[in-house]
Amino acid sequence: VNIGRALLNSLVFTTLVVVLQTANSAMAAYAFARLQFPGKRVLFAAVLGSMMLPGVVLLAVGVNVAV
């Protein structure tokens, strides 16, 4: 296993994800702060609510637990 290549792949992927997520979040923040559109408050509450939950909780919604 080439550790150097794996580290480079992780670094490239992480950098790309951070840059794209920051750009996406900045555009959403601008829309919520400056634009007026129907359902703005409800959509903002949904976005804020989803950010308050850990990702594992959101993934667990589709899990079927047999008792």
Side-chain angles (χ1 to χ4, degrees), residues 28 31-33 35-50:
F32 282 127
L35 303 178
Q36 299 298 323
F37 54 91
K40 175 180 169 180
R41 295 175 68 85
V42 173
L43 186 59
F44 184 69
V47 168
L48 210 60
S50 69

